[in-house]
Amino acid sequence: MAELIALYVLGAVAAFAVVRVIVERNTGRKLPYLNVMNFAIAGSLVLLLQHPLSLAAAAAYFVGSTLEANAIASTYAGVATR
Amino acid sequence: MNGVFILGLAILIIGAVSVTFARPKTYLARLINLEIPGWGLLLIMLAYDEGLALLTFVAVTAIATFVIVRVMEWRDAA
Amino acid sequence: MIGVMQIVFGFVALAGAISAAVQRDPFGKLISLGILVGGVVPFIVDRGYLDIAVAVSLIAPITTIFILMATRRAEQ
């Protein structure tokens, strides 16, 4: 029951972050909320399925999504300062 | 019917319409929109439990995107 | 999956798809594509394909980085 409450909290955080990303107009201010959504999804991947390999899937998603957000931010900074 | 199948079908239709009528009519916007129906098709493959097809489709999509990006760069340089 | 979470992740995926189709800025499109991936991966994990979820979560950023190469060239 306790992990069900944690799953609902993570889902609410993910939905809130998605709404904030879509409503926001400035690209630089979208990226922190994209990170919030990525962390919430990576946390909920662990709680979805009772399996030992579930932790590896969550770790892989965490690494991949953080790399993606950092690549977007780096390229955006390089284009915007020019 | 299955919820995953309906969601994949909706994303596939949204992506196909957005690729056909891309708002900035540039190659870049059309290439980014081309990623959307790929994920919809992935969900439809998931609804039919085709695991190996899903893995192969994602890998081939990445390679095809790389080839298209290189072709766009060659076209700009020429 | 629990029905409520299926609705939440379905909303995340659908919102990412619609937002990526509507946006005009290339960086906004790529951010919305990240939201779409975040909505699709929990469905793969819930079906039990954990190895495929690992592969998909590692290949999706590589595709984004390939598109960023073209975006940097186009934005100059």
Side-chain angles (χ1 to χ4, degrees):
Chain A
M1 191 60 199
E3 64 181 34
L4 215 57
I5 294 173
L7 201 55
Y8 288 160
V9 169
L10 285 173
V13 170
F16 169 73
V18 165
V19 170
R20 278 303 297 263
V21 169
I22 290 176
V23 166
E24 189 68 52
R25 308 292 298 176
N26 189 6
T27 303
R29 251 180 250 150
K30 280 183 180 188
L31 285 162
Y33 287 102
L34 180 68
N35 272 326
V36 170
M37 189 214 71
N38 283 332
F39 296 157
I41 297 284
S44 65
L45 286 187
V46 183
L47 300 175
L48 272 179
L49 202 62
Q50 299 293 328
H51 195 275
L53 207 57
S54 169
L55 187 62
Y61 178 75
F62 181 78
V63 170
S65 61
T66 308
L67 186 67
E68 181 181 4
N70 278 325
I72 292 175
S74 165
T75 310
Y76 177 69
V79 167
T81 53
R82 187 168 301 168
Chain B
M1 202 183 280
N2 196 358
V4 179
F5 185 71
I6 298 293
L7 182 65
L9 217 52
I11 292 176
L12 185 67
I13 291 172
I14 290 170
V17 170
S18 75
V19 171
T20 311
F21 305 104
R23 283 304 297 276
K25 286 182 76 71
T26 58
Y27 295 123
L28 182 62
R30 214 168 272 232
L31 176 62
I32 297 174
N33 282 345
L34 194 58
E35 295 289 314
I36 307 171
W39 289 98
L41 192 60
L42 195 146
L43 278 179
I44 293 176
M45 285 178 183
L46 189 68
Y48 284 111
D49 280 331
E50 299 282 351
L52 193 59
L54 202 150
L55 191 59
T56 315
F57 177 70
V58 173
V60 169
T61 303
I63 297 172
T65 305
F66 180 63
V67 170
I68 294 173
V69 167
R70 291 306 298 266
V71 167
M72 285 168 57
E73 287 181 358
W74 286 345
R75 191 186 177 281
D76 279 343
Chain C
M1 200 187 299
I2 308 109
V4 179
M5 294 312 287
Q6 201 162 2
I7 292 173
V8 168
F9 290 130
F11 163 73
V12 170
L14 210 57
I18 294 174
S19 173
V22 168
Q23 298 254 351
R24 300 182 66 93
D25 183 33
F27 292 105
K29 274 178 183 292
L30 286 172
I31 289 171
S32 301
L33 218 55
I35 297 175
L36 174 60
V37 175
V40 168
V41 169
F43 285 103
I44 303 176
V45 170
D46 183 60
R47 281 274 172 153
Y49 295 119
L50 288 171
D51 47 350
I52 296 174
V54 171
V56 167
S57 346
L58 290 181
I59 290 176
I62 297 176
T63 310
T64 305
I65 290 171
F66 286 157
I67 297 177
L68 276 172
M69 286 164 46
T71 306
R72 183 181 303 161
R73 184 67 60 96
E75 294 280 326
Q76 291 285 352

